Amino acid sequence: IPELKAEFRGLRASFEGQSRERRKMLGGFKKALPWALMGMFSILILVFGSYAQATLVMLMIPLGLVGAVIGHFLLGLPLTVLSIWGVVALGGVIVNDSIVFVDAINRRLAEGKELLVAVHEAGISRFRPIVLTTLTTAAGLMPLILEQSRQAQFLIPMAASLAFGLLFGTIFTLGVLPAGFACIN
């Protein structure tokens, strides 16, 4: 590069490429994320008619994020832009599982059941569907996570975010969510 600069006056060189694209994407992500979270929160408030229940469901997202970070650490993967997209997908799946669980509790409460009975029955009825969703999704992503080809290396962080985050998020959804629900009501 110094030789080219000497030969061509006014030549500028910079090493950016992927870094610049990452900065652009993260800038847009930082602007859109708060709006997306507020939109989700607003919809949850409308669905449940409760700020506390909506907050409880939204708190499951960071708990799933813990699993995504642990998965990256266990696999020795760097956190990449595609990892973030995996976390976005993870947030949707975890919120969906949480909505189904909270709705099951609310239905039992509407039937006149006591709080702890409603939480217990909802946990029993939603356990299998939530666990099966998690296991089939994680198992479906495992071939990609374990793939060694060069083409797959770009997608592996996204798959790891989703699979490991979902495994941890499900544990929290089945354990923390019902306990939290019992505490807030």
Side-chain angles (χ1 to χ4, degrees), residues 13 20-21 44 58 72 84 99 115 135 163 169 180:
R20 181 180 48 185
E21 291 303 315
L44 290 171
M58 293 296 287
H72 277 73
I84 294 170
I99 288 170
L115 176 63
L135 292 179

Side-chain angles (χ1 to χ4, degrees), residues 60-79:
M60 294 298 110
I61 296 172
L63 295 177
L65 177 63
V66 170
V69 171
I70 289 172
H72 277 73
F73 176 75
L74 290 175
L75 296 175
L77 296 172
L79 289 170

Side-chain angles (χ1 to χ4, degrees), residues 86 89-90 92-94 96-97 128-145 158-167 170:
L90 167 67
V93 176
I94 288 178
N96 190 38
D97 284 347
R128 184 182 304 152
I130 290 172
V131 168
L132 285 176
T133 300
T134 298
L135 292 179
T136 56
T137 303
L141 290 169
M142 278 306 144
L144 177 59
I145 292 171
M158 181 173 58
S161 290
L162 185 54
F164 283 92
L166 193 53
L167 289 170
T170 297

Side-chain angles (χ1 to χ4, degrees), residues 28-154:
F29 188 76
K30 286 178 185 178
K31 291 177 185 174
L33 182 65
W35 289 104
L37 291 174
M38 285 190 302
M40 288 171 58
F41 188 66
S42 299
I43 290 169
L44 290 171
I45 291 169
L46 292 173
V47 168
F48 295 131
S50 166
Y51 287 103
Q53 289 179 12
T55 302
L56 187 60
V57 168
M58 293 296 287
L59 285 175
M60 294 298 110
I61 296 172
L63 295 177
L65 177 63
V66 170
V69 171
I70 289 172
H72 277 73
F73 176 75
L74 290 175
L75 296 175
L77 296 172
L79 289 170
T80 66
V81 172
L82 287 174
S83 300
I84 294 170
W85 288 115
V87 169
V88 170
L90 167 67
V93 176
I94 288 178
V95 166
N96 190 38
D97 284 347
S98 300
I99 288 170
V100 169
F101 200 127
V102 170
D103 183 58
I105 297 170
N106 284 335
R107 287 177 191 246
R108 283 161 178 76
L109 289 173
E111 293 170 358
K113 297 187 177 175
E114 290 184 28
L115 176 63
L116 293 180
V117 172
V119 169
H120 181 259
E121 287 181 5
I124 290 171
S125 72
R126 301 317 312 159
F127 179 82
R128 184 182 304 152
I130 290 172
V131 168
L132 285 176
T133 300
T134 298
L135 292 179
T136 56
T137 303
L141 290 169
M142 278 306 144
L144 177 59
I145 292 171
L146 299 174
E147 179 62 44
Q148 297 297 315
S149 71
R150 190 166 230 259
Q151 296 87 350
Q153 298 307 307
F154 299 104

